[in-house]
Amino acid sequence: MNEAVFDVVIIGGGPGGLSAALVLGRSCRNVVIIDKGTPRNDVTLEAHGLLTRDGIKPQKLRQIARQQLRAYRNVTCFNDEVIQVEKHTKQFIVTTRLGDAFKARRLIVATGMIDELPAIPGFREVYGRSVFPCPYCDGWERKGEPLAVFGNEEKVVNFTKLLYNWSKDLILFTNGAAQFDGKFKQELTDHHIRIVETPVVKLQSNEGKLEKVLTETGQTFFRTGGFLLNTREKQAFDLSEQLDIHINERGGYESDDHGLTNVEGLYVIGDAKNSFVGLAGAAGEGYEAGVVINHELSMEDWE
Ligand SMILES: Cc1cc2nc3c(=O)[nH]c(=O)nc-3n(C[C@H](O)[C@H](O)[C@H](O)COP(=O)(O)OP(=O)(O)OC[C@H]3O[C@@H](n4cnc5c(N)ncnc54)[C@H](O)[C@@H]3O)c2cc1C
């Protein structure tokens, strides 16, 4: 066990964790950041919508952030996986797969989510390449294209209406009987959006680019891309078995506006808190949690 007590240990080195590390580093805090390097957006080649970095490779973004953190010798990054977190009165003890253990006054969990995806052959090949979860991230590149929408809960109706902003050529694949009201079906058909309820058996693609959606009844639909409503995401690092932390109905860890959970001293930010918050959102939350934590620690140190 490393006997030093760090001000903050951050688990997860995505935009959330790295942003928290930057502001805490600049606040003269001793920080350890531990990342296992398997973010959910690793499947995609380009990330969009982040000011000054539109179209950047997700890995490149992290590389730049880590490089800039090197200027702060009070921040140390480890490539490792946290396997255990314990809370002792005023301290957290974080243990990693490689056998390190770190003590910290505050803990930030920025471990994100992982996606399970529908069990349709060919889905994994197109996910992040031509079929995406978020139109704000990837809608522009597919505007006006013949697109597939995958989803079946009532929420898919509004999701489809939203996607209509980027393309009018939409087919909604519910992959089984639609679980929403007939009046919604009518609304979509009135806008010339076809609803295919027959189960999808395969997605055919070429180097990640969707070409055809094939159904159980042998029908083939030509589509060049699409969007998926529900990625069946779950916590990348499930803390609930180790700490008595509250989970909200969306599977995110419950917290106040700044990321503080019901466990004193434990903050959660980014996708782990919100399911899907985007790069800018995660970075913003990291900054905010960092500022709040530094304020708290400064007041404690004064006493
Ligand atoms: C296909 C796809 C495309 C996307 N495109 C965009 C886009 O264009 N623009 C945009 O703004 N957003 C996009 N997003 C969303 C964006 O990737 C996330 O909202 C954002 O990365 C969340 O940041 P985060 O820091 O919370 O988590 P992440 O970026 O997921 O980082 C979490 C990190 O924690 C690590 N970790 C997990 N468990 C442990 C553990 N036990 N120990 C150590 N480390 C651990 C993970 O390996 C990972 O590196 C996309 C998402 C997907 C799935």
Side-chain angles (χ1 to χ4, degrees):
M1 161 107 54
N2 195 322
E3 282 313 313
V5 179
F6 291 90
D7 288 320
V8 187
V9 165
I10 301 170
I11 315 176
L18 289 163
S19 169
L22 182 59
V23 69
L24 285 162
R26 292 184 53 74
S27 306
C28 310
R29 293 291 161 195
N30 289 319
V31 177
V32 161
I33 176 164
I34 306 160
D35 181 54
K36 71 171 179 166
T38 53
R40 72 195 297 198
N41 67 351
D42 228 10
V43 291
T44 196
L45 300 175
E46 291 182 351
H48 300 102
L50 182 62
L51 200 67
T52 79
R53 301 285 175 198
D54 196 32
I56 194 170
K57 270 193 170 109
Q59 288 301 342
K60 182 74 186 167
L61 184 73
R62 290 159 163 255
Q63 201 187 319
I64 296 170
R66 277 206 180 199
Q67 203 178 333
Q68 293 186 344
L69 279 175
R70 280 195 210 118
Y72 305 92
R73 297 184 64 185
N74 45 327
V75 177
T76 316
C77 300
F78 290 95
N79 297 320
D80 199 351
E81 178 185 358
V82 172
I83 52 169
Q84 197 185 0
V85 174
E86 293 163 72
K87 173 93 202 276
H88 297 262
T89 334
K90 289 263 169 207
Q91 268 176 19
F92 292 91
I93 299 180
V94 171
T95 309
T96 73
R97 189 164 293 286
L98 295 178
D100 276 326
F102 301 96
K103 291 182 194 162
R105 298 166 73 188
R106 296 290 185 280
L107 181 67
I108 297 181
V109 171
T111 43
M113 290 274 182
I114 47 171
D115 296 313
E116 279 202 340
L117 303 182
I120 298 172
F123 211 104
R124 204 153 281 283
E125 285 80 348
V126 295
Y127 186 64
R129 299 296 169 108
S130 57
V131 175
F132 302 91
C134 160
Y136 295 100
C137 304
D138 296 286
W140 172 262
E141 285 68 28
R142 260 117 234 125
K143 62 184 182 317
E145 288 188 19
L147 300 180
V149 185
F150 299 98
N152 196 348
E153 312 136 53
E154 195 170 311
K155 275 194 234 157
V156 83
V157 176
N158 273 345
F159 189 58
T160 309
K161 290 182 189 174
L162 181 70
L163 290 167
Y164 194 73
N165 171 61
W166 282 272
S167 175
K168 312 285 179 245
D169 187 355
L170 301 174
I171 300 179
L172 169 58
F173 295 92
T174 55
N175 198 21
Q179 286 165 23
F180 48 86
D181 216 272
K183 74 172 188 230
F184 294 128
K185 284 189 185 173
Q186 193 56 50
E187 271 191 56
L188 298 181
T189 14
D190 286 349
H191 282 75
H192 309 288
I193 296 169
R194 187 166 172 187
I195 303 168
V196 176
E197 297 184 64
T198 320
V200 173
V201 288
K202 190 181 171 189
L203 301 191
Q204 194 173 305
S205 61
N206 184 9
E207 292 185 351
K209 189 148 178 57
L210 179 65
E211 291 178 339
K212 295 174 191 166
V213 179
L214 290 83
T215 68
E216 202 175 68
T217 47
Q219 283 175 295
T220 298
F221 298 88
F222 294 90
R223 302 280 95 187
T224 57
F227 287 88
L228 169 68
L229 171 68
N230 186 352
T231 64
R232 296 193 295 170
E233 62 213 353
K234 57 177 199 193
Q235 288 292 341
F237 180 48
D238 188 356
L239 262 179
S240 59
E241 281 174 15
Q242 308 187 24
L243 297 172
D244 184 22
I245 184 170
H246 298 161
I247 306 260
N248 63 31
E249 70 288 347
R250 294 179 64 204
Y253 295 122
E254 212 167 86
S255 75
D256 74 1
D257 289 347
H258 306 301
L260 178 63
T261 65
N262 58 302
V263 179
E264 196 188 349
L266 172 61
Y267 287 75
V268 62
I269 56 173
D271 282 4
K273 174 181 167 189
N274 301 291
S275 304
F276 195 110
V277 72
L279 304 170
E285 288 185 5
Y287 183 85
E288 197 175 331
V291 167
V292 170
I293 289 174
N294 180 58
H295 184 86
E296 275 178 16
L297 294 177
S298 302
M299 296 306 120
E300 265 178 45
D301 293 345
W302 181 267
E303 294 304 320

